């Protein structure tokens, strides 16, 4: 319990730090401090509303606390171009990003864990000599480039998948849920997920492989052999179970990290997610929207850091009982 | 004899030549006795014990010799059946030998149900009995290994070894990691259980005082070979091999009055390229030119107290000289290396 | 006086500098055979450096010049040929020339980011690890903070608002990558400072800064090197991503610029693999080289990793 509290405070501190950095970053942007919230796209009423809401006529330190207060209430201002509350816009695209990221990660981690364990088993064989450089190469290729090649090959050349977006134009759905489970959506999802999975599988694979190699030398695995357990039981129940610990943590961290990385993949596939929203907002100098999108991504990242900390405690009794090693 | 080891050879893969960790070792374990397997680290005693279990590291292979258990030759097939049911193992570090992510009780139950014939409920009850047997409260079954102290872990490891009522236990430095008082307690438990269950035990240790405290017989190993063996009392009181004499000087002795400790100068030979003749000759204060040729080893069926030393006939005189610290100083050793 | 005492003490507890340098050199010389990966990595780097140096000789057309066929027509969307080994873009630019000149900007971004990351990370790690105290706490908190910023979005916001220049990209990459190296170097310093010869130097009264830079720093330089090598790849990939998103430096031709150009000019639907393929492969090669080297050097300099 103390550990949970400690990790919570730590991550809450990180969140506060990120919002603070963001506050000052947006105020140091070229233009007047007002530029962060108000531009000519907003009509006079909207401009006055912003002025009051963010206390832009008050000193910097007061603005900072007003800003924090607004954040707590989910008040992120109005988008310059869409003239709608930033939060509404973000909540609309957030599911798309989460679905893309989670599906990609799940595919990547299932493949990576299995392949990593298998490669550890094949230690010293030609398979290892071929596979490890290929995995390294997949980690080295730019994420969006993998997407471009897949897009050219599987979509434009072979016509297997649609080339972008989340739904075909002209489709109509009675509810958001219906949209998300429609075959059309899944078809659009496939290629970005494949890209993400290809890019992300390297980490769990290499992690699992090296953990397995390490664990296989551990005394308790040797003892399991001495006890005469079956090969399967030794590898799965003892070696893999222990080797999996850091991989699970990496998974939770991966949600946050790849949410950030998604800005490029979402752009390649015109996927209406939060990353692409950020890019568009920055390109349009839509400060409130850009700030909101960035905060949202940071929030997911930090939340997942916290989840990862907790997961590690759940899975590793040594941490759970507040004693390392 | 419950266990007979004859001309055992275990090699580790090496860059140029294999390292002959065990090189023609022979010894026997009488039923119901505790036999100490002693020697410095790297002499092959742990490797020999693991070879008996048939579980060697990936780069090691058993290349020769024979191991017989109750008259039956131990090969892979035989071992598959006997492992843990008849021959169990107490590891050196109980901490790393227990899986950190399961409770100790779960690990005991795993052995009882997967290698034994017990059902889940019976295994729970048996696990509690075993814990009581080694002096641990059954409540601790629900604890994880890291929640145990060193002595408790070692007791848990003994309980683990006793789970399937084996007739032979190989204990690899079972108390080395513990402090002296806890060492005593664990050794006493081991002794009591051995007598109560009529176990045979091979106790691998580098600590000659542990041998003196616990063992009925002793096998002294040096550089992969057995140099001396016999009843523990005899071997310790009247060592006949200079290595055993040196070993006795180098450790505080619990049975006789402690004199100043005298280390044996030099280090064991490179087992990838061992010296010809007696392997101890390069460090032996009594080595003669003849000691560096031919081979010397204790035979498998040698009864009683035997030594592989060429100068076995002069053992009494050598023993007297060996008591003098000056004998063991480097300068006094004849230039055999 | 203290220094003399220190030197004589050191001579006894620490192998001579010459012997250590010789040992490292020997291991380096044996590297191609012992670690073909690291050797391959160095070879890839060397090849790219040569291409960057002799770009003018290797490519006859300036990368942004619009070229014409012999018949005087705009040379747009040409497939690979003897004259244009990788064909031309939709606006009639020589793709091969862009690739060759792109090496320059890739190396410029990669090396400058590597130098900044390695030096900031090293200095912070050294000082925090050696002196500890509140200084250490503050620095590590800042490092934590930098690590909880989402990487690419941060770079997007920074370059998007501060202006699209190579230096802003390098700045952003450095801001986010130094904590990794600083942390690892700090923990290495924590172990090094406990070693006998450091203790000896302290006992003889050598000044802390002197101990830090003369005795501790050489031990962690290999690690700085490794993190520098990793930063090269990260910086190049990041620059490519940022350029791809349209926030890159539009005045210089980089691989990321080429990919963005190809993407927005429908090269994908036209199946012009010769256009968007090579820049990606070059990025991959240079990043892989970094992986290989960091792996190899870890083995050369941190022998405990050898199994």
């Amino acid at each position: 319990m103390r550990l949970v509290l400690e990790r919570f405070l730590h991550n809450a501190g990180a969140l506060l730090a990120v919002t603070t950095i963001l506050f000052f970053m947006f105020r140091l942007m070229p233009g007047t401090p007002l530029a962060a919230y108000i531009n000519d796209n907003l009509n006079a009423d909207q401009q006055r509303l912003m002025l009051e809401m963010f206390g832009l006529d008050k000193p910097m330190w007061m603005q900072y606390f007003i800003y924090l207060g607004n954040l707590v209430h989910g008040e992120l201002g109005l988008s310059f171009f869409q003239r709608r509350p930033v939060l509404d816009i973000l909540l609309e695209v957030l599911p798309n990003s989460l679905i893309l990221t989670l599906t990609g990660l799940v595919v990547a981690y299932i493949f990576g864990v299995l392949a990593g364990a298998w490669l550890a088993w094949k230690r010293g064989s030609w398979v290892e000599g071929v596979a490890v450089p290929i995995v390294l190469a997949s980690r080295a290729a730019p994420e969006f480039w993998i997407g471009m090649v897949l897009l050219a090959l599987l979509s434009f050349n072979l016509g297997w998948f649609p080339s972008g977006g989340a739904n075909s134009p002209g489709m109509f759905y009675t509810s958001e849920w219906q949209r998300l489970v429609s075959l059309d959506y899944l078809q659009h999802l496939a290629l970005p997920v494949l890209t993400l999975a290809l890019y992300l599988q390297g980490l769990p694979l290499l992690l699992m492989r090296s953990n397995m190699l390490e664990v296989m030398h551990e005394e308790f695995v040797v003892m399991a052999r001495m006890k005469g357990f079956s090969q399967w039981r030794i590898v799965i129940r003892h070696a893999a179970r222990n080797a999996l610990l850091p991989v699970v943590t990496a998974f939770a961290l991966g949600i946050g990290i790849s949410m950030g990385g998604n800005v490029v993949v979402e752009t390649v596939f015109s996927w209406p997610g939060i990353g692409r929203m950020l890019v568009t907002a920055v390109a349009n100098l839509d400060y409130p929207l850009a700030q909101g999108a960035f905060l949202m991504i940071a929030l997911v990242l930090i939340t997942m850091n916290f989840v990862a900390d907790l997961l590690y405690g759940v899975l590793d009794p040594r941490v759970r009982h507040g004693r390392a090693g | 004899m419950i266990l007979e080891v004859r001309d055992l050879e275990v090699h580790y893969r090496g860059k140029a030549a294999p390292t002959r960790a065990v090189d023609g070792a022979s010894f026997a374990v009488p039923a119901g006795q505790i036999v100490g397997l002693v020697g410095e680290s790297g002499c092959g005693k742990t490797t020999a014990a693991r070879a008996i279990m048939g579980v060697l590291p990936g780069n090691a292979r058993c290349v020769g010799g024979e191991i017989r258990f109750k008259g039956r030759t131990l090969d892979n097939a035989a071992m598959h059946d006997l492992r843990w049911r008849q021959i169990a193992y107490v590891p050196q570090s109980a901490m790393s030998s227990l899986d950190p992510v399961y409770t100790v009780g779960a690990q005991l139950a795993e052995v009882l149900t997967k290698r034994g014939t017990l059902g889940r409920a019976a295994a729970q009850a048996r696990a509690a009995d075993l814990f009581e047997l080694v002096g641990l409260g059954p409540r601790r079954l629900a604890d994880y290994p890291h929640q145990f102290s060193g002595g408790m872990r070692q007791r848990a490891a003994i309980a683990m070894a006793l789970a399937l009522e084996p007739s032979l236990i190989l204990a690899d430095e079972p108390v080395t990691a513990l402090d002296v008082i806890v060492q005593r307690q664990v050794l006493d438990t081991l002794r009591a259980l051995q007598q109560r269950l009529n176990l045979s035990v091979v106790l691998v240790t580098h600590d000659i005082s542990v041998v003196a405290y616990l063992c009925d017989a002793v096998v002294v190993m040096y550089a992969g070979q057995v140099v001396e063996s016999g009843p523990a009392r005899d071997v310790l009181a009247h060592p006949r091999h200079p290595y055993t004499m040196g070993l006795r000087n180098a450790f505080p002795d619990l049975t006789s009055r402690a004199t100043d400790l005298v280390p044996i100068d030099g280090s064991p030979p490179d087992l990838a390229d061992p010296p010809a003749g007696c392997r101890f000759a390069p460090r032996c204060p009594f080595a003669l030119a003849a000691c560096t040729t031919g081979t010397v080893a204790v035979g498998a069926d040698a009864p009683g107290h035997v030594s592989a030393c060429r100068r076995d006939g002069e053992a009494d005189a050598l023993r007297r000289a060996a008591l003098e610290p000056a004998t063991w100083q480097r300068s006094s050793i004849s230039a055999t290396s | 006086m203290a220094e003399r005492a220190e030197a004589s003490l050191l001579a006894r507890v620490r192998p001579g500098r010459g012997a250590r340098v010789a040992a490292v050199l020997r291991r380096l010389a044996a590297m191609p055979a012992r670690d073909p990966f690291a050797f391959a990595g160095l070879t890839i780097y060397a090849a790219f450096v040569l291409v960057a140096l002799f770009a003018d000789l290797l490519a006859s057309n300036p990368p942004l010049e619009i070229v014409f066929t012999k018949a005087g027509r705009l040379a747009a969307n040409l497939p690979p040929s003897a004259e244009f080994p990788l064909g031309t873009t939709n606006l009639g630019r020589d793709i091969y020339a862009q690739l060759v000149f792109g090496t320059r900007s890739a190396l410029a971004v990669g090396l400058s980011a590597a130098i900044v990351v390695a030096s900031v990370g090293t200095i912070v790690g050294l000082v925090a690890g050696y002196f500890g105290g509140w200084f250490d706490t503050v620095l590590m908190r800042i490092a934590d903070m930098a690590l909880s910023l989402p990487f690419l979005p941060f770079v997007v916001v920074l370059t998007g608002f501060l202006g699209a220049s190579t230096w802003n990209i390098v700045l952003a990459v450095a801001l986010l990558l130094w904590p990794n190296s600083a942390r690892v170097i700090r923990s290495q310093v924590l172990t090094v400072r406990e070693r006998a010869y450091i203790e000896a130097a302290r006992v003889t009264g050598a000044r802390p800064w002197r101990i830090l830079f003369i005795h501790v720093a050489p031990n962690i330089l290999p690690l700085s090197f490794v993190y520098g090598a990793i930063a090269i790849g990260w910086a190049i990939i990041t620059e490519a991503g940022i350029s791809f998103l349209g926030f890159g430096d539009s005045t210089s031709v980089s691989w990321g610029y080429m990919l963005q150009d190809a993407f927005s000019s429908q090269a994908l639907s036209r199946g012009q693999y010769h256009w968007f393929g090579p820049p990606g492969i070059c990025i991959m090669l240079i990043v892989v080289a970094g992986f290989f080297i960091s792996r190899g050097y870890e083995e050369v300099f941190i022998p405990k990793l050898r199994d």
Side-chain angles (χ1 to χ4, degrees):
Chain A
M1 213 46 227
R2 230 196 81 226
L3 190 78
V4 174
L5 196 69
E6 189 193 300
R7 297 318 300 170
F8 179 79
L9 287 179
H10 182 92
N11 287 298
L15 190 61
L16 182 67
V18 169
T19 52
T20 308
I21 292 174
L22 208 60
F23 175 82
F24 288 106
M25 209 160 94
F26 276 81
R27 265 157 197 70
L28 295 175
M29 290 300 164
T32 66
L34 297 183
Y37 289 99
I38 295 174
N39 91 348
D40 301 336
N41 270 348
L42 302 176
N43 60 38
D45 277 347
Q46 284 171 328
Q47 293 200 7
R48 193 155 7 86
L49 186 71
M50 289 294 103
L51 212 62
E52 274 168 29
M53 188 182 287
F54 291 93
L56 294 177
D57 46 353
K58 306 215 167 63
M60 193 77 127
W61 64 268
M62 268 177 85
Q63 287 186 35
Y64 175 68
F65 285 104
I66 293 172
Y67 157 89
L68 284 185
N70 282 334
L71 282 188
V72 173
H73 293 106
E75 186 52 72
L76 295 166
L78 284 181
S79 159
F80 291 166
F81 287 83
Q82 303 198 25
R83 303 202 187 183
R84 287 199 295 147
V86 166
L87 190 66
D88 294 359
I89 301 174
L90 293 177
L91 288 180
E92 240 164 63
V93 295
L94 186 64
N96 285 330
S97 275
L98 286 177
I99 288 173
L100 171 62
T101 308
L102 277 174
T103 324
L105 271 172
V106 168
V107 174
Y109 273 67
I110 290 177
F111 171 80
V113 163
L114 294 177
W118 182 68
L119 273 183
W121 196 249
K122 289 276 171 189
R123 171 79 164 149
S125 71
W126 65 269
V127 182
E128 185 187 37
V130 175
V132 171
I134 290 179
V135 176
L136 284 180
S138 78
R139 298 252 296 143
E143 207 176 351
F144 64 93
W145 182 71
I146 298 179
M148 284 170 72
V149 172
L150 288 181
L151 194 60
L153 202 66
L154 300 182
S155 177
F156 291 118
N157 247 13
L158 298 169
W160 290 355
F161 300 100
S163 65
N167 287 99
S168 302
M171 299 292 264
F172 180 77
Y173 301 97
T174 48
S175 71
E176 175 72 2
W177 173 250
Q178 263 226 310
R179 187 180 74 81
L180 294 182
V181 294
S182 68
L183 186 67
D184 183 54
Y185 185 78
L186 295 182
Q187 274 175 345
H188 281 84
L189 183 65
L191 215 43
V193 162
L194 186 62
T195 303
L196 211 54
L198 264 179
Y199 178 72
L200 294 174
Q201 47 78 38
L203 178 68
L205 192 153
L206 294 174
L207 206 57
M208 188 66 190
R209 173 177 164 275
S210 65
N211 290 343
M212 277 297 268
L213 288 177
E214 220 168 86
V215 171
M216 290 303 278
H217 285 124
E218 292 273 352
E219 195 66 13
F220 64 81
V221 172
V222 176
M223 287 304 291
R225 286 170 67 199
M226 288 199 181
K227 288 171 187 167
F229 291 146
S230 66
Q231 199 73 261
W232 181 252
R233 171 165 283 273
I234 296 170
V235 171
I236 302 295
R237 287 266 304 170
H238 294 282
R241 171 69 175 75
N242 275 277
L244 212 52
L245 290 177
V247 183
V248 174
T249 317
F251 180 86
L253 290 176
I255 298 175
I257 293 169
S258 54
M259 277 286 279
N262 278 359
V263 294
V264 285
V265 173
E266 291 180 357
T267 303
V268 172
F269 294 100
S270 334
W271 185 257
I274 207 155
R276 188 154 155 270
M277 189 61 71
L278 175 73
V279 172
T280 325
V282 172
N284 293 337
L285 298 180
D286 191 341
Y287 290 113
L289 187 56
Q291 175 178 298
F294 185 92
L295 261 181
M296 189 72 92
I297 295 171
L299 182 68
V300 173
L301 180 80
I302 291 171
T303 310
M304 286 306 145
N305 283 356
F306 180 51
V307 171
D309 287 341
L310 295 189
L311 260 183
Y312 206 81
V314 171
L315 291 171
D316 191 336
R318 284 163 294 187
V319 178
R320 183 160 69 228
H321 294 101
R323 210 176 110 181
Chain B
M1 293 292 147
I2 189 166
L3 180 75
E4 290 158 278
V5 176
R6 199 184 297 260
D7 301 323
L8 183 66
E9 280 182 63
V10 182
H11 289 185
Y12 282 87
R13 212 170 32 235
K15 269 193 198 120
T19 300
R20 303 162 180 203
V22 181
D23 198 12
S26 303
F27 58 92
V29 178
Q33 286 202 3
I34 302 182
V35 174
L37 195 55
V38 274
E40 290 164 292
S41 60
C43 74
K45 53 195 195 302
T46 294
T47 306
R50 297 204 159 191
I52 296 170
M53 289 303 292
V55 175
L56 287 167
N59 57 346
R61 278 190 56 205
C62 192
V63 294
E66 191 186 22
I67 302 167
R68 293 169 77 85
F69 178 73
K70 293 185 175 167
R72 181 179 167 199
T73 301
L74 280 187
D75 50 22
N76 277 338
M79 205 52 212
H80 183 73
D81 190 41
L82 294 176
R83 201 170 276 147
W84 219 259
R85 294 175 181 148
Q86 282 294 313
I87 310 178
Y89 196 88
V90 178
Q92 172 163 11
S93 162
M95 179 66 211
S96 53
S97 69
L98 292 165
D99 193 325
V101 300
Y102 300 112
T103 63
V104 180
Q107 296 181 57
L108 259 174
E110 185 186 22
V111 159
L112 290 165
T113 54
K114 299 302 165 197
R115 290 295 289 168
T117 53
L118 298 184
R120 268 175 171 270
Q124 293 294 331
R126 169 86 176 130
D129 289 347
L130 282 166
F131 254 41
E132 245 160 326
L133 199 61
V134 296
L136 289 170
R139 278 184 153 198
R140 309 293 313 229
L141 281 169
D143 281 354
Y144 288 90
H146 70 270
Q147 293 170 292
F148 276 25
S149 71
M152 288 164 68
R153 278 197 284 266
Q154 217 59 44
R155 285 168 190 275
I158 294 173
M160 190 78 79
L162 294 174
L164 303 179
E165 301 179 329
S167 41
L168 175 65
I169 285 183
L170 309 177
D172 184 6
E173 307 267 14
V175 295
T176 304
L178 309 175
D179 64 67
V180 181
I181 297 165
V182 185
Q183 273 194 8
R184 275 289 178 98
Q185 293 169 350
V186 174
L187 288 178
D188 288 342
T189 308
L190 194 61
R191 164 66 105 190
L193 288 169
Q194 181 264 334
Q195 281 170 354
R196 199 163 128 200
L197 306 171
N198 196 31
L199 289 169
S200 313
V201 178
V202 176
L203 187 83
V204 175
T205 181
H206 69 283
D207 188 342
I208 214 154
S209 62
V210 170
V211 174
Y213 188 68
L214 203 65
C215 295
D216 304 303
V218 59
V219 175
V220 183
M221 279 187 78
Y222 182 77
Q225 297 177 332
V226 173
V227 293
E228 183 168 4
S229 67
R233 197 166 303 227
D234 266 10
V235 173
L236 295 183
H238 308 287
R240 302 225 310 254
H241 195 282
Y243 176 63
T244 318
M245 300 173 194
L247 205 57
R248 205 183 54 165
N249 285 346
F251 275 96
D253 196 334
L254 297 185
T255 52
S256 65
R257 211 156 281 136
T259 47
D260 284 344
L261 300 184
V262 185
I264 310 174
D265 254 332
S267 50
D270 175 10
L271 291 179
D273 180 26
C278 173
R279 294 203 174 157
F280 188 58
R283 295 168 77 186
C284 181
F286 313 117
L288 304 173
C291 289
T292 58
T293 56
T295 51
V296 273
V298 171
D301 7 284
H305 185 180
V306 287
S307 155
C309 183
R310 287 274 166 85
R311 301 179 69 180
D312 197 24
E314 313 160 58
D316 290 332
L318 298 187
R319 197 178 310 122
R320 270 193 300 279
L323 287 175
E324 298 300 321
T327 309
W328 297 93
Q329 267 149 30
R330 201 86 185 107
S331 53
S332 70
I333 296 179
S334 49
T336 43
S337 53
Chain C
M1 195 52 216
E3 265 145 44
R4 181 105 39 90
E6 178 197 341
S8 76
L9 241 170
L10 285 178
R12 262 176 280 146
V13 291
R14 179 191 189 184
R17 183 174 300 240
R20 281 182 305 126
V21 168
V24 167
L25 284 181
R26 253 200 315 281
R27 291 223 291 273
L28 277 179
M31 203 179 65
R34 247 214 38 235
D35 195 334
F37 278 125
F39 187 67
L42 279 180
T43 313
I44 295 173
Y45 271 174
F48 277 114
V49 168
L50 286 179
V51 170
L53 286 177
F54 298 108
D56 300 293
L57 298 175
L58 288 167
S60 45
N61 296 314
L64 289 175
E65 189 171 282
I66 291 164
V67 289
F68 293 89
T69 58
K70 294 208 174 65
R73 305 239 308 265
L74 180 69
N77 285 325
L78 291 182
S81 63
E83 199 188 351
F84 305 111
L86 293 173
T88 56
T89 72
N90 64 328
L91 294 179
R93 288 174 176 141
D94 183 350
I95 296 172
Y96 167 74
Q98 294 193 341
L99 192 70
V100 167
F101 281 97
T103 310
R104 282 189 177 168
S105 66
L107 288 183
V109 169
L111 289 175
S112 39
I115 290 169
V116 178
V117 168
S119 46
V120 172
T122 304
I123 291 171
V124 171
L126 272 175
V127 173
Y130 192 78
F131 294 107
W134 64 268
F135 196 62
D136 179 32
T137 314
V138 168
L139 281 175
M140 287 304 112
R141 278 286 157 273
I142 295 176
D144 279 348
M145 223 161 64
L147 286 177
S148 53
L149 284 169
F151 188 82
L152 213 46
F154 181 78
V155 187
V156 167
V157 170
L158 209 68
T159 50
F161 290 153
L162 286 189
S165 87
T166 309
W167 295 114
N168 283 341
I169 295 176
V170 170
L171 175 76
V173 169
L175 269 176
L176 293 182
L177 280 189
W178 70 265
N180 286 316
S181 49
R183 276 182 165 182
V184 175
I185 285 166
R186 172 180 170 273
S187 64
Q188 184 72 11
V189 170
L190 286 180
T191 57
V192 168
R193 59 172 288 185
E194 301 307 322
R195 290 196 192 146
Y197 62 88
I198 308 287
E199 195 63 48
R202 250 200 305 270
V203 169
T204 52
R207 267 176 247 102
W209 287 99
R210 187 184 148 75
I211 299 177
L212 191 56
F213 285 103
I214 307 285
H215 301 307
V216 181
N219 284 289
I220 53 103
L221 276 183
L223 265 180
S224 322
F225 194 89
V226 166
Y227 276 87
I230 292 171
I232 293 180
W234 264 98
I236 290 174
I237 276 204
T238 308
E239 191 278 334
I242 292 300
S243 299
F244 174 76
L245 294 174
F247 303 119
D249 190 341
S250 51
T251 58
S252 77
V253 173
S254 71
W255 295 331
Y257 161 84
M258 292 175 69
L259 289 171
Q260 194 264 339
D261 194 16
F263 184 75
S264 58
S265 314
Q266 273 80 44
L268 270 58
S269 58
R270 279 199 294 268
Q272 289 168 311
Y273 293 95
H274 55 87
W275 186 354
F276 61 82
I281 292 171
C282 285
I283 295 173
M284 201 162 84
L285 274 175
I286 216 161
V287 176
V288 161
F291 286 167
F292 283 175
I293 287 174
S294 59
R295 238 181 81 138
Y297 275 89
E298 261 176 273
E299 289 192 3
V300 171
F301 288 111
I302 317 170
K304 71 163 192 270
L305 289 179
R306 275 183 275 164
D307 52 2

